[in-house]
Amino acid sequence: MELVDHSDRGRASRVRGRRHSRVLSRYAGRPIRLIWRYIARRKTAHAIVLASVVAAVGFALASQYGIRNLIDALPQGRAHPQTVAYAFAVLVGLIFADNVMWRVAGWVSSRAFVRVTGDIRQDMFDYLMGHAPTFFADKQPGVLSSRVSATANAVYVIENTVAWTALPPTLTVIGAIVMVATVSLPMSIALVAISALLTACLFWLARKGTSRHEAFASQAASVDGELVDVIGNMGLVRAFSAVPAELRRFGGHLEAEAVARRRSLLYLEKLRLVHAFATALLSAALLGWTIWLWTQGRATTGDVVLVGSLGFAILHGSRDVAVAFVDLTQHVARLAEASQTLLTPHAMPEAPKAIPLIVREATVDFDNVSFAYPGRRRVLSDLTLHIEAGERVGLVGPSGAGKSTVLALLQRFYDPANGCVRISDQDISYVTLQSLQAAISVVPQDVTLFHRSLLDNIRYGCPDATEADVKRACEDASCMDFIAALPDGLNTIAGDRGTKLSGGQRQRIAIARAILKDSPILLLDEATSALDTASEIVIQAALERLMKNRTVIAIAHRLSTLQSFDRIIVMNRGRVVQEGTPAKLAMVPGIYRDTLARHNRRTPAPTMN
């Protein structure tokens, strides 16, 4: 059997994927740069939104001039009605243009911002899928899924907050200060100085509160993780009458989140209070100054109205800027925390010049392989093992002997500390992960199914398979009988992790899935250990059909399942201590013969996982 990838498109895609992963990891904990990356993908749409908002604010400020001109034209309006009509027409035109620009900005942003959200969620998911198994072992699935959503949602909220809450009042304040200069330049200069001082003060205070916002983001993600963890293990919770205990535990997490949220929100309120007090004093001083100029004959009645309205615009605008700014601080902190978690550099990236695995003869070799899980003792010690193409090999040994580690290293879930693992004389550390995964089929002890139809689950490793192909695989796996008895047949939903099916049914679905994938190497990890005798007989027959013409490596607790194998390898403490045919080992003193004797006496045997 030969697996060769000659696709130039596939190679180009893998190169782009590796480059994409390296680039994304640079944005961990850098939320502003991350946001800008996705804005830059849709520059034209964002430029239109920006230009429309600027134009809308400009027309809104210009309408203040229109009001002033209308007020100043009224005293002579009866003598010169055309002056009043002209001022009125200009004001109406400015108001109309203001509203049109807002609608243009809203229409374009409703598409662009949503697409940015989709882009970042897709990229975060793509990057997450590239992490090594150790990454997922250390984190709750709920925490990771919530962070993918939190990253996308934070970017969406930040874009909307900037476009509709922060940018318009900022432009309004700047424009208002410029317009005040037409009445009094010293007044405008004073406004600039005070506004700059107030902004700097708020920025400094907001940065001091970042730790509070990040703590809240972390607690919120922890609550999501607890929810998924408990719901996913609800059967265990009920089996041990642990509902009250889980409610108390979850209540503790909620309380911790509430405390973190209160600290975050109260700090934001303090910032708003400081800003509100400062802007109220500023507006009162501004209006008083203008009235004093009016008493001196240096400002018209229209100027007083203009500056009064501009003062309120500055008051409300700067208040809105402060509110938006402190809100943005919270969302940016949450984005930074989520991206820091998700964009951790990949522990086992694909080699820069990885090539597709070419399997002509499905041989497997472990050359002086040593391995230890992080923080634990060595599991494999200088393991050397050769398996011929088409050979059926069983791994036997006590718990902790390293059997499951052999299968994990062969699938490159981990890299060995020393030595190398080869398939068809190619070091798997230097081949593409996709081609390696395509060469191996696995039937595990604990079969996991998606909450999808049985049809989708069976052709998961071969998405292009026809329904006829799936049915043939089901016949070979001896599962067509129970599938036909289901109300929706192959369209029946398997349930979360396949809970709607029995253990034996899930095992047969896994076998059908492996048959359809048609890989040259087959790994069986305790595929029949949890089954009753009747189910084991049916599944054993299906496995015989599956193993035909394949290189097979099987871990089995029930030695009866290995009697037809070509070779048994007995492992202990990470080393091969015995090997040979089942008949030969049954005659030689050692672990295999002792275990076989216990099985024959039908006495409980030690767990060999």
Side-chain angles (χ1 to χ4, degrees):
M1 188 176 296
E2 180 174 340
L3 294 179
V4 184
D5 182 359
H6 294 301
S7 171
D8 291 336
R9 182 182 301 176
R11 278 194 292 272
S13 176
R14 287 191 296 273
V15 171
R16 286 196 301 271
R18 289 195 294 268
R19 188 183 302 120
H20 181 64
S21 293
R22 289 195 296 271
V23 169
L24 268 182
S25 64
R26 300 172 189 168
Y27 295 94
R30 297 180 177 179
I32 303 303
R33 290 185 60 191
L34 182 66
I35 294 171
W36 182 251
R37 168 184 171 83
Y38 290 94
I39 290 176
R41 285 188 183 181
R42 306 185 185 280
K43 293 187 287 289
T44 302
H46 284 84
I48 293 173
V49 173
L50 176 61
S52 300
V53 170
V54 170
V57 172
F59 287 130
L61 287 171
S63 66
Q64 303 295 327
Y65 259 120
I67 293 173
R68 188 197 73 167
N69 292 337
L70 182 61
I71 291 174
D72 286 342
L74 288 177
Q76 295 84 29
R78 292 184 179 87
H80 304 283
Q82 67 276 9
T83 304
V84 176
Y86 175 75
F88 174 75
V90 169
L91 178 60
V92 170
L94 290 172
I95 293 173
F96 179 79
D98 172 20
N99 282 278
V100 169
M101 288 297 98
W102 282 120
R103 299 289 66 75
V104 170
W107 180 268
V108 176
S109 68
S110 65
R111 296 171 178 268
F113 293 178
V114 170
R115 286 177 177 171
V116 165
T117 303
D119 289 344
I120 194 168
R121 186 169 292 184
Q122 181 68 59
D123 284 354
M124 290 299 114
F125 182 69
D126 287 349
Y127 190 87
L128 183 65
M129 296 292 282
H131 279 295
T134 49
F135 177 86
F136 298 97
D138 294 336
K139 295 173 179 63
Q140 294 173 306
V143 170
L144 296 177
S145 62
S146 70
R147 278 176 166 86
V148 171
S149 296
T151 303
N153 292 337
V155 171
Y156 181 77
V157 171
I158 289 169
E159 282 207 287
N160 277 280
T161 301
V162 170
W164 314 124
T165 309
L167 183 59
T170 300
L171 295 173
T172 298
V173 170
I174 294 172
I177 292 173
V178 172
M179 292 174 68
V180 167
T182 63
V183 178
S184 172
L185 184 59
M187 187 186 301
S188 179
I189 294 173
L191 277 173
V192 171
I194 294 171
S195 297
L197 179 63
L198 184 59
T199 300
C201 182
L202 286 173
F203 182 76
W204 178 73
L205 290 172
R207 283 183 63 87
K208 288 190 67 176
T210 299
S211 61
R212 293 174 172 83
H213 309 320
E214 289 179 343
F216 164 57
S218 179
Q219 287 292 341
S222 176
V223 168
D224 291 339
E226 282 295 316
L227 274 172
V228 173
D229 193 32
V230 174
I231 293 172
N233 292 283
M234 188 56 68
L236 181 65
V237 172
R238 293 188 179 277
F240 284 86
S241 303
V243 170
E246 290 298 337
L247 289 174
R248 288 192 299 271
R249 177 184 172 87
F250 187 66
H253 282 281
L254 286 179
E255 180 60 29
E257 182 198 25
V259 170
R261 175 174 283 185
R262 280 198 299 271
R263 293 184 67 225
S264 175
L265 293 177
L266 286 175
Y267 193 83
L268 297 181
E269 285 304 318
K270 291 176 183 177
L271 290 183
R272 293 185 180 112
L273 182 61
V274 170
H275 174 266
F277 181 73
T279 52
L281 287 178
L282 179 62
S283 297
L286 185 64
L287 186 56
W289 192 343
T290 309
I291 292 174
W292 178 77
L293 290 175
W294 176 76
T295 62
Q296 300 294 314
R298 293 158 58 187
T300 66
T301 302
D303 288 335
V304 174
V305 174
L306 174 64
V307 173
S309 63
L310 291 176
F312 282 110
I314 293 172
L315 169 64
H316 295 298
S318 57
R319 181 191 62 200
D320 292 343
V321 169
V323 171
F325 182 76
V326 292
D327 285 345
L328 282 172
T329 301
Q330 191 175 44
H331 291 296
V332 168
R334 188 161 194 175
L335 176 60
E337 191 274 339
S339 65
Q340 185 71 54
T341 300
L342 295 174
L343 299 181
T344 302
H346 290 156
M348 289 175 52
E350 196 172 81
K353 295 183 179 180
I355 60 174
L357 175 66
I358 302 174
V359 182
R360 294 188 175 90
E361 297 291 334
T363 59
V364 174
D365 289 278
F366 283 72
D367 294 335
N368 298 312
V369 171
S370 297
F371 177 78
Y373 293 100
R376 293 162 58 182
R377 66 174 179 82
R378 182 174 290 189
V379 181
L380 298 180
S381 300
D382 299 321
L383 176 68
T384 296
L385 178 63
H386 174 73
I387 300 174
E388 291 287 349
E391 188 178 15
R392 299 183 185 184
V393 173
L395 300 182
V396 173
S399 296
K403 306 184 300 298
S404 296
T405 302
V406 168
L407 301 193
L409 292 177
L410 185 58
Q411 296 172 82
R412 207 184 168 221
F413 290 167
Y414 308 93
D415 281 332
N418 296 302
C420 72
V421 180
R422 292 182 288 116
I423 293 177
S424 194
D425 290 327
Q426 298 167 77
D427 188 337
I428 64 171
S429 298
Y430 299 100
V431 304
T432 62
L433 291 174
Q434 187 173 359
S435 65
L436 174 63
Q437 292 157 2
I440 300 172
S441 291
V442 183
V443 179
Q445 176 183 6
D446 182 17
V447 176
T448 299
L449 302 179
F450 289 101
H451 186 68
R452 304 172 189 173
S453 69
L454 295 181
L455 181 65
D456 289 336
N457 273 286
I458 293 170
R459 64 182 175 193
Y460 191 69
C462 188
D464 297 331
T466 65
E467 189 168 338
D469 294 333
V470 172
K471 288 181 177 179
R472 279 193 295 271
C474 290
E475 292 287 354
D476 288 342
S478 301
C479 57
M480 204 60 216
D481 54 344
F482 79 81
I483 290 177
L486 295 172
D488 297 317
L490 283 169
N491 294 316
T492 300
I493 301 299
D496 182 39
R497 299 176 62 85
T499 52
K500 291 186 178 181
L501 303 179
S502 69
Q505 289 172 336
R506 289 197 300 271
Q507 254 341 343
R508 281 182 273 177
I509 293 295
I511 293 171
R513 185 166 57 190
I515 290 172
L516 195 63
K517 188 180 179 185
D518 195 26
S519 300
I521 297 174
L522 174 64
L523 306 182
L524 304 176
D525 188 0
E526 299 280 11
T528 63
S529 64
L531 303 176
D532 57 70
T533 304
S535 297
E536 183 182 4
I537 293 172
V538 174
I539 290 176
Q540 194 64 47
L543 287 174
E544 283 294 331
R545 289 189 287 271
L546 173 60
M547 291 188 290
K548 188 176 181 180
N549 300 324
R550 288 180 171 84
T551 301
V552 181
I553 305 175
I555 298 173
H557 170 61
R558 297 181 180 179
L559 299 186
S560 58
T561 62
L562 302 178
Q563 295 311 300
S564 63
F565 275 45
D566 301 310
R567 185 160 47 124
I568 303 294
I569 294 174
V570 183
M571 297 183 64
N572 193 22
R573 297 182 180 180
R575 298 177 184 274
V576 176
V577 294
Q578 286 182 300
E579 63 177 302
T581 65
K584 176 183 176 182
L585 291 181
M587 305 299 293
V588 179
I591 293 175
Y592 182 84
R593 193 177 76 170
D594 293 344
T595 305
L596 185 62
R598 283 194 295 269
H599 284 193
N600 291 337
R601 291 195 302 267
R602 298 189 178 184
T603 56
T607 302
M608 298 169 58
N609 295 326

